[in-house]
Amino acid sequence: MKIISIVGARPNFMKIAPFIRAIQQRAKGGTAIPIEHCLVHTGQHYDSSLSDDIFQELGIPAPDYNLEVGSGSHGYQVGQTMIEFEKLLPKEKPDWVVVVGDVNATAACSIVARKAGIKVAHIEAGLRSFDWEMPEEINRVVTDRISNLLLTTDSMADANLLHEGIPATQIQRVGNIMIDTLQNECAAARRLNFHEILSASTIDTKEKSLDFLPEGFTFVTLHRPSNVDIRETLTQLIVLLQRISEKLPIVFPVHPRTQARLKEFGLWHQLANSERFILTQPLSYRALLKLNMLAKVALTDSGGIQEEALILGTPCLTLRWNTERPITLIEHGGTNRLVGNNPEKIWSNFLHTLTEPRRPTIPDLWDGHTAERIVTTILRFNDSHNIP
Ligand code: UD1
């Protein structure tokens, strides 16, 4: 049986690493049906800090193909991925294409595979923000609608798929594969030195004291177009972050999109000059995990950080009005609050979280063994004639 798995952007890498490891382990143990694996990187993320460095850190083998799609509009990225991916199918002839998450590569490659008559498995199926303004929501819905096998993280994802009319036989709850990576990397992250992380990755032009660990800090990540691409919204958020930084210093790994907008809107220098802000390059997976372990509060618009904060128990304020990961929310027993980009709401929730203890929470099947369950499930479905 041959599997092609697809990655395109940073959040895919933590999901594919355990899957590849599980295939390798299965091969060592000997399976009735040998599994041949081929990794395709669409090249959406190409900076070493967003791509190669994380490949190395997580032990992901070099991709067999890099489609080198690069930056561009959504139409360009999706279209170019489809054109390039389609070319390699006649040569590779996979039985399955495995896609993860919700980035442009996920939707583009699943459409191409399904049209070529190849079975598609989607890892992290069924997540819904119900926000059609998010390109990721479109990617999720399209991918799930055409996938043969939908591998889900929790019962809420199952319910979303059933509600959309997906047959129950195609839905398999396997847990959260990102937590396999989190568990695998936790010990190494713990050994990292906080000061060394900051001094090695700072992009501040000014010397700043890094001795604020005893006081605690807030850790911030921002990259969603709805938060960073509109001048007024980003300016309001930065004013708010400055207010927060007076209470607790801020460590802010800056995504390339965000760095470009901060510079374009004339906001960069005030952050770079503030003693209470440490600006860093995008961090390695382990370094970010270490920050999440130590931070008093995480402020983020990322999907994955909401889940990592849940497992680590870090109070998390999500700078969005919705989340496709409701299992992380306070009302479902988690550590996460949706605060949108309203400064007053963010501020009052920030003050509240300062008094909250860490409360690590581990949902059912988020146990570090999801990748093994996925490999078993694909092997079982490969034998079955019941899937469409
Ligand atoms: C993508 C994903 C998003 C994910 C995020 C994590 C989609 C629709 N979006 O958004 O779901 O949460 O990755 O980072 O697939 N850039 C670089 N170097 C790079 C890559 C990008 O400088 O290696 C810059 C480019 O100027 C580009 C901008 O960052 O225009 C945005 O990159 P893009 O890949 O389009 O989307 P992300 O915002 O990163």
Side-chain angles (χ1 to χ4, degrees):
M1 181 178 77
K2 183 162 188 175
I3 297 177
I4 290 189
S5 37
I6 309 290
V7 291
R10 179 174 58 177
N12 295 157
F13 307 147
M14 328 35 198
K15 296 169 195 162
I16 221 64
F19 178 63
I20 296 177
R21 216 170 27 249
I23 290 179
Q24 288 165 343
Q25 271 161 10
R26 202 53 83 93
K28 266 192 225 151
T31 45
I33 319 166
I35 307 176
E36 205 185 325
H37 182 255
C38 169
L39 180 62
V40 174
H41 189 336
T42 68
Q44 177 176 343
H45 281 178
Y46 46 86
D47 279 0
S48 50
S49 63
L50 293 184
S51 185
D52 292 4
D53 296 354
I54 302 186
F55 261 65
Q56 269 186 19
E57 184 184 28
L58 300 181
I60 306 172
D64 298 283
Y65 295 92
N66 191 322
L67 308 183
E68 294 183 353
V69 167
S71 297
S73 67
H74 285 272
Y76 171 82
Q77 281 184 340
V78 171
Q80 200 57 25
T81 302
M82 290 174 84
I83 292 167
E84 294 304 319
F85 182 53
E86 189 172 46
K87 288 181 191 162
L88 54 92
L89 292 181
K91 186 167 148 227
E92 291 295 334
K93 295 191 183 61
D95 300 287
W96 287 87
V97 167
V98 173
V99 294
V100 295
D102 56 16
V103 303
N104 286 335
T106 315
C109 294
S110 53
I111 293 172
V112 168
R114 197 67 214 260
K115 286 192 176 184
I118 297 158
K119 291 187 283 279
V120 175
H122 182 202
I123 300 180
E124 213 185 57
L127 300 188
R128 295 289 181 268
S129 65
F130 303 102
D131 174 0
W132 290 94
E133 304 278 307
M134 277 181 89
E136 292 84 356
E137 183 74 356
I138 298 171
N139 291 338
R140 290 180 202 116
V141 172
V142 168
T143 305
D144 286 343
R145 186 65 190 83
I146 60 177
S147 290
N148 303 81
L149 176 56
L150 296 109
L151 299 153
T152 63
T153 47
D154 60 71
S155 60
M156 287 186 256
D158 296 355
N160 290 335
L161 295 172
L162 291 169
H163 182 72
E164 290 172 16
I166 308 275
T169 47
Q170 282 173 251
I171 305 168
Q172 293 289 307
R173 196 184 319 157
V174 288
N176 190 335
I177 198 161
M178 279 230 320
I179 307 310
D180 292 19
T181 296
L182 186 144
Q183 286 201 0
N184 208 47
E185 301 298 328
C186 248
R190 265 196 204 96
R191 287 194 295 272
L192 293 180
N193 179 288
F194 179 69
H195 275 90
E196 280 170 20
I197 294 174
L198 298 189
S199 48
S201 58
T202 179
I203 41 178
D204 282 318
T205 35
K206 185 177 164 176
E207 281 277 311
K208 295 182 186 176
S209 161
L210 303 177
D211 290 327
F212 52 76
L213 196 49
E215 181 190 353
F217 65 94
T218 303
F219 124 75
V220 174
T221 77
L222 277 179
H223 75 280
R224 297 230 160 256
S226 56
N227 282 330
V228 305
D229 283 358
I230 304 161
R231 180 189 292 266
E232 213 182 21
T233 309
L234 187 58
T235 306
Q236 272 191 0
L237 282 175
I238 295 303
V239 170
L240 187 261
L241 289 180
Q242 279 175 318
R243 190 173 173 197
I244 287 178
S245 75
E246 284 159 22
K247 216 79 199 135
L248 268 190
I250 286 181
V251 179
F252 185 0
V254 194
H255 188 282
R257 172 194 283 279
T258 311
Q259 183 168 162
R261 295 297 173 268
L262 287 168
K263 288 183 175 161
E264 186 187 328
F265 302 154
L267 297 164
W268 182 257
H269 288 295
Q270 66 195 80
L271 294 187
N273 285 325
S274 165
E275 285 292 341
R276 306 280 288 176
F277 269 84
I278 307 298
L279 304 176
T280 76
Q281 297 158 352
L283 293 176
S284 71
Y285 177 82
R286 286 176 195 158
L288 201 83
L289 200 55
K290 177 85 177 188
L291 289 194
N292 202 343
M293 286 171 177
L294 296 175
K296 280 224 163 114
V297 185
L299 254 79
T300 188
D301 60 8
S302 142
I305 290 173
Q306 296 170 45
E307 294 180 337
E308 286 156 357
L310 176 76
I311 301 297
L312 299 170
T314 318
C316 178
L317 300 180
T318 294
L319 302 173
R320 290 172 44 191
W321 294 114
N322 50 57
T323 178
E324 62 286 348
R325 300 159 208 270
I327 196 169
T328 61
L329 293 174
I330 292 274
E331 51 269 40
H332 295 293
T335 56
N336 185 18
R337 289 182 170 86
L338 296 176
V339 291
N341 48 24
N342 176 316
E344 280 317 309
K345 190 166 168 119
I346 301 171
W347 176 248
S348 60
N349 277 282
F350 169 73
L351 292 180
H352 183 78
T353 51
L354 289 183
T355 60
E356 274 185 348
R358 286 190 161 268
R359 204 164 36 77
T361 308
I362 302 180
D364 191 29
L365 296 179
W366 294 29
D367 57 359
H369 297 287
T370 293
E372 294 149 39
R373 283 192 284 273
I374 291 175
V375 174
T376 307
T377 308
I378 294 176
L379 282 166
R380 184 157 48 81
F381 270 67
N382 194 52
D383 276 346
S384 150
H385 299 290
N386 290 336
I387 55 166

